[in-house]
Every structure is written in C-alpha cells, then in structure tokens.
Amino acid sequence: MEAEPKDTERFQIQPVNRFAGVSAAIKRPQEIASFSFDENHEYRYDESSLRYYYHPEIGVDLSKGYDTFRKLENSADLHLDALLKTLVNLESAQGAKCGADFITWRGMMTKV
C-alpha cells in the first residue's frame, strides 16, 4: 500500500488563475557557455574536457585502464559551484546579465 503524499510533495493547481500572466517561452535549449574539470578535478572556464563518444569495438578488453583509474572524492558536488562560476565569467565577459530564463548543465534534466 502506497503512503499518502505529504502536503509539501503535492503541487496544487487550484486556483488556476494564479498561473495567468507572462511566462517564459519554451524554446529549443541553447548552449550559452562551457566549463570543464581538468585531470585534478579543478574548474576551468573552457571546453578542454569536451570529448566525443565512440562506439566500442566488439570484443574490447573492459579491464583496460582499470589499473590507472583514479576515484575522485565526491562528497561535494562541484557542478553547481562551477555552473555559477561560469555564469559570473560569462556575464563579466559580455558586460551584461545573462538573459536566460532557465539554466542547467548537460545531463542534469535526466535527474529531475
């Protein structure tokens, strides 16, 4: 038997007139800036860690590279801090505030 949702877990839609007025236009996502983490997991305002996916060959050795793998300390999620630093850098470079209504990083919407 499922537990009844708490009031904080519900999204009330009544009265519907509270949603009247100007709303953000829903458009195709657009990249406005990029950031990377280097091999030491330090923030960089660039695309240096951008990589492409290549389909693996059939019969590939899945243990290759295992001996050189470095597990990073992930007690803190640095992506939000990096996203905010990137926005500060973008606005500084442009000399104006970013006009986006909604900002996220690639892959984040799959977690929502």
Side-chain angles (χ1 to χ4, degrees), residues 4-25:
E4 186 69 23
K6 299 174 191 169
D7 286 339
T8 56
E9 296 172 348
R10 297 179 186 191
F11 181 73
Q12 300 296 323
I13 61 169
Q14 297 294 334
V16 293
N17 65 350
R18 71 184 175 133
F19 301 109
V22 178
S23 60

Side-chain angles (χ1 to χ4, degrees), residues 16-86:
V16 293
N17 65 350
R18 71 184 175 133
F19 301 109
V22 178
S23 60
I26 305 299
K27 298 184 267 184
R28 183 179 194 88
Q30 179 182 356
E31 181 179 312
I32 59 170
S34 297
F35 68 88
S36 297
F37 290 108
D38 66 12
E39 61 276 356
N40 297 316
H41 210 63
E42 297 291 325
Y43 168 82
R44 296 178 63 141
Y45 181 53
D46 62 19
E47 296 179 342
S48 60
S49 66
L50 184 65
R51 302 290 184 267
Y52 294 94
Y53 176 77
Y54 297 98
H55 290 281
E57 298 174 15
I58 301 297
V60 69
D61 180 8
L62 297 178
S63 64
K64 184 175 181 182
Y66 187 79
D67 56 335
T68 59
F69 175 75
R70 291 184 338 172
K71 181 160 178 61
L72 299 172
E73 173 61 40
N74 61 356
S75 60
D77 187 358
L78 303 176
H79 289 92
L80 183 57
D81 289 342
L83 178 65
L84 296 174
K85 284 180 188 177
T86 302

